[in-house]
Amino acid sequence: MIDLSKRRFFSKRTVDDTTIRLPWLANASKFTEQCTRCGKCAESCETNIIIHGDGGFPQVDFNKGECTFCYGCANACPESLFDKEENNPWEAKATILESCLATQNVECRSCGDMCDTMAIQFKLEIGKVAQPNLNLDECTGCGACVAVCPTSSINVSKLV
């Protein structure tokens, strides 16, 4: 087995603190030290959004779908990496980029249609198509809006 602590010592790469690993991680900063990369979390994901990311460690890919917060990944994990299900799954929120069709005055409301919590609403403006308005207090960071965006203008990342 490779000693990852030594590998990181010689690597100049820094850990991206905004990478969405998995919901309910108890200690995200120690995740790569504690995760065995067994893949059980990915096997148990009901929406198949958990992929093998950098170094084989699991991470969420919202281009594949949304997190339903089913807690399946946490239940399947043989390690003690996760918080209780009652806790907040993560501090992740969506952001809408300038490449959004609506900001380019092209009618599109795909993200708002997919948002169960209605965190993305569209506000009418004179002389423009309705513009997206993201309510971060309502956003769960589920990622349902990401895959449906035709211009890949929505990202979900951890708040830092």
Side-chain angles (χ1 to χ4, degrees):
M1 178 162 246
I2 297 171
D3 185 350
L4 293 177
S5 62
K6 290 180 183 171
R7 179 178 174 202
R8 280 188 215 100
F9 177 76
F10 291 109
S11 173
K12 291 187 179 184
R13 292 177 57 187
T14 57
V15 177
D16 181 5
D17 288 338
T18 61
T19 299
I20 302 291
R21 290 287 181 191
L22 301 170
W24 289 286
L25 282 181
N27 191 343
S29 63
K30 292 191 176 191
F31 175 73
T32 56
E33 295 171 21
Q34 297 172 336
C35 176
T36 62
R37 298 176 282 186
C38 67
K40 291 182 181 178
C41 56
E43 292 169 9
S44 68
C45 180
E46 67 181 30
T47 55
N48 298 312
I49 63 168
I50 300 175
I51 62 167
H52 295 287
D54 190 26
F57 291 101
Q59 70 183 55
V60 173
D61 181 357
F62 291 118
N63 291 311
K64 295 178 165 283
E66 69 182 286
C67 182
T68 58
F69 304 114
C70 68
Y71 206 70
C73 55
N75 284 330
C77 183
E79 306 301 321
S80 56
L81 300 175
F82 294 90
D83 275 340
K84 296 176 183 172
E85 189 173 6
E86 306 80 60
N87 295 342
N88 188 21
W90 50 36
E91 292 298 322
K93 302 290 180 180
T95 54
I96 301 174
L97 306 175
E98 289 297 316
S99 55
C100 167
L101 288 175
T103 63
Q104 306 301 316
N105 213 26
V106 176
E107 183 65 39
C108 179
R109 297 186 188 198
S110 299
C111 57
D113 292 342
M114 293 302 294
C115 186
D116 285 341
T117 62
M118 297 180 64
I120 302 173
Q121 302 261 327
F122 284 81
K123 181 180 174 186
L124 296 175
E125 290 191 18
I126 296 174
K128 291 184 174 181
V129 300
Q131 297 295 299
N133 184 26
L134 176 60
N135 181 343
L136 291 178
D137 291 334
E138 296 296 320
C139 180
T140 62
C142 72
C145 54
V146 174
V148 299
C149 180
T151 57
S152 301
S153 297
I154 302 178
N155 293 323
V156 175
S157 58
K158 290 191 319 187
L159 300 176
V160 284

